[in-house]
Structures are given as C-alpha cells and as structure tokens.
Amino acid sequence: YHENVPLAIIEAKDLRHTYDHGMQQGIDYAEGLKHAESLQVPFVYASNGEAFLEHDMLTGKERKLAMHEFPTKEELWERFKQEKGLTPNQIKVINEPYYSSRDTYSPRYYQQNAINRVVEKIANGERRALLVMATGTGKTYTAFQIVYRLLKAGIKHRVLYLADRNILVDQARIGDFNPLSDKI
C-alpha cells in the first residue's frame, strides 16, 4: 500500500502446477516478515496464472478467486484497517512515510519492522517502547525514523532522546537526526 505498509505476497507458479501450489511458500514468506505479535503482511496469494488462492493471515480464512477478482490495493487496505481494528491515530502514523532524501538510504527490512511496531504502539496510546538491536544494526537511524514519523503525523510533539555518553547524543544530532535540527 505504501513503502512502509506491505499488504500482500503473491507466490506465482507456472501452469504445470495447480493454482494453490505455492500457498505454503507464500505463508512462510509472510511469517518470516512478521515481528513478535504484529503481522507485517496480512494477505498471501498463490497463483498459476489461471486462478488465485487467497489466505488472510489475520482471520486464517482461504478462498479461491478468478483472475478478474483479484482485489485492488485500496480494497486490501480497507479490509486490513477493518480486520485489524486500526485507530485513527494508527492510520495517521501508518500513512506517514519514512524520511527520505538523496543522502538517506531506505530502512532495511528489520529496521522497518522495528519502526512500524514502535510507531503503531505509540499511536495506540502506549508511552514506552524498548528496542533491542545489535551493534551496527542502525539503532540511531531507526530511532530517528520513529521520531520523524511520530512528529510528522502529529502524534507526538516532543521526544526525549537519551544516550549514555554525550558524544553519542552529539553524533546523533549532527548525523541521523540532522533533518530535525530545527526542532532540536
């Protein structure tokens, strides 16, 4: 739906296979993209080019679809919002894109999972979140993307960023957090 909101995985096979042949492979992909209790990809499709099998990861239901019945991204988005019971704040922050510029790379998949889960929790009214990430995985960049999306969506107006050494705070301020320098 957006770069930060994947809605579906399609596992395609050739006509030598049945339309439903790749479903377990697609589900395995979707399972690999989820983080903790949160679903990253809610809909999985398998096809051989003649029909689709849809698996709804939120409800567990499956249904066969003709080729012309494949849902649009807007239809999937509406189903996702309804089935997940998203609040207006969650929708607002989900619709807020990651920060990007010519000098900024897109978040890696594990950073996207972390960013999305934290902003979802904060938008849902939780006040705290703990991220545990290994050395070299982009903790500061991930924190910046979280703060950026929360501020831009208007969910938060102030954020306290702490580190155990002044040099780490200074490094973050002039590095990853530089696009927010007018708010620091």
Side-chain angles (χ1 to χ4, degrees), residues 65-132:
L65 302 169
M67 295 301 287
H68 69 276
E69 294 177 305
F70 193 83
T72 65
K73 74 177 187 177
E74 289 78 17
E75 291 169 335
L76 290 177
W77 173 241
E78 289 303 318
R79 282 179 55 197
F80 176 68
K81 289 190 312 186
Q82 182 180 10
E83 289 177 13
K84 187 105 174 180
L86 295 177
T87 65
N89 273 349
Q90 286 174 311
I91 293 168
K92 190 186 322 182
V93 78
I94 285 170
N95 284 325
E96 190 60 51
Y98 299 117
Y99 174 81
S100 66
S101 73
R102 289 188 339 209
D103 303 327
T104 307
Y105 59 88
S106 297
R108 297 179 185 106
Y109 74 93
Y110 58 87
Q111 292 169 329
Q112 287 181 357
N113 285 344
I115 295 161
N116 290 345
R117 298 299 69 85
V118 170
V119 297
E120 183 180 311
K121 287 181 179 293
I122 301 293
N124 205 26
E126 294 188 36
R127 293 180 49 102
R128 297 176 184 207
L130 175 66
L131 286 177
V132 179

Side-chain angles (χ1 to χ4, degrees), residues 27-81:
I27 290 172
D28 290 345
Y29 290 146
E31 289 287 328
L33 291 173
K34 79 178 192 176
H35 177 67
E37 73 283 351
S38 298
L39 244 21
Q40 188 66 22
V41 181
F43 304 104
V44 177
Y45 295 89
S47 179
N48 66 354
E50 291 186 339
F52 287 99
L53 178 65
E54 175 190 79
H55 181 87
D56 186 325
M57 298 290 287
L58 297 168
T59 66
K61 295 179 182 175
E62 287 189 351
R63 66 182 177 136
K64 182 180 179 180
L65 302 169
M67 295 301 287
H68 69 276
E69 294 177 305
F70 193 83
T72 65
K73 74 177 187 177
E74 289 78 17
E75 291 169 335
L76 290 177
W77 173 241
E78 289 303 318
R79 282 179 55 197
F80 176 68
K81 289 190 312 186

